[in-house]
Every structure is written in structure tokens, then in C-alpha cells.
Amino acid sequence: QVQLVESGGGLVQAGGSLRLSCTASGRTSGGYPMGWFRQAPGKEREFVAAINWSGGWTHVADTVKGRFAIARDNVKNTVYLQMNSLKPEDTAVYYCAVRRDDSAGYYTGIDEYAYWGQGTQVTVSE
């Protein structure tokens, strides 16, 4: 079983930055693709960013391209989401997720991930 714990959320003004962290325990996250998703009130959970096992391949959603970046440190079993130029529409609960298997590539679908964190709130004010 894998446990994921997100941190780094909070309240920030529009144009500001935050860095989210997600640390895995129970099984090393190194070698497993990981992703970030978010869910705003009244909306479905949506893909934000994904990274392959080594960190060499990354992909971000068009809505955050050029503002957000995903990275990982397999020694620390941690994946990061750097969020810059934040907008009020980025307000959501952000979740990290990890796949069950050590497959190649990165993944953007909710159903492609087996383990999820509890989420961290990000609120961007005008």
C-alpha cells in the first residue's frame, strides 16, 4: 500500500507562486509515474501535470502550460508542482497520484492512477 501526503497549499494573491509537494511512503515512488490533478467546487477532477518514472518526460495541461511545472526527486520519494502566475481560476483542491505499476511514459487519465493523496487546498484571490 502507498500513502501520499501533499503539502504546500495555501492562500495567495493572483500573480503569486506556490510549490506543492507530494511525498510517498509505504513504497518508494521512484520508478512509478506520478501526476497532479485538481478539483474546483462543483467541477470534476481534472488533469494538471504528469511525470514519468525518471522525471525525463513531463506533460502539463494546456490551461497551465507556461505557468506550472512538475518535477520529482526519487531519492526523497517526492514530486513537486511549481505554480507561477497563479490565477483565481486555479483555485481548487490539488491531488497527487501514483500508478500501481512501473510502466513507461506519463499518464493523464484519472483512471490510470491507483493511489491518491488527501489533497491540499490552493486559493488564489483577486
Side-chain angles (χ1 to χ4, degrees):
Q1 191 70 14
V2 179
Q3 294 80 43
L4 301 174
V5 178
E6 301 98 335
S7 62
L11 174 64
V12 63
Q13 288 187 330
S17 298
L18 284 174
R19 188 177 80 156
L20 306 183
S21 300
C22 173
T23 300
S25 61
R27 182 192 78 184
T28 59
S29 65
Y32 297 84
M34 297 187 72
W36 285 97
F37 293 77
R38 67 186 182 185
Q39 188 166 18
K43 295 187 177 181
E44 295 185 349
R45 193 170 298 190
E46 65 176 7
F47 167 75
V48 176
I51 191 166
N52 78 321
W53 70 272
S54 68
W57 292 350
T58 64
H59 180 68
V60 297
D62 288 343
T63 52
V64 303
K65 192 166 293 183
R67 301 188 296 120
F68 290 14
I70 187 172
R72 68 189 301 161
D73 183 335
N74 286 342
V75 173
K76 296 181 179 180
N77 291 327
T78 300
V79 65
Y80 304 97
L81 184 68
Q82 178 66 45
M83 306 187 295
N84 300 324
S85 301
L86 283 160
K87 303 176 181 180
E89 50 263 45
D90 295 319
T91 295
V93 178
Y94 284 71
Y95 300 89
C96 70
V98 65
R99 277 181 64 86
R100 188 187 306 276
D101 57 85
D102 57 350
S103 46
Y106 56 76
Y107 300 84
T108 62
I110 292 173
D111 294 342
E112 297 179 296
Y113 291 90
Y115 304 103
W116 293 80
Q118 83 290 347
T120 185
Q121 176 71 46
V122 171
T123 303
V124 184
S125 63
E126 297 280 357

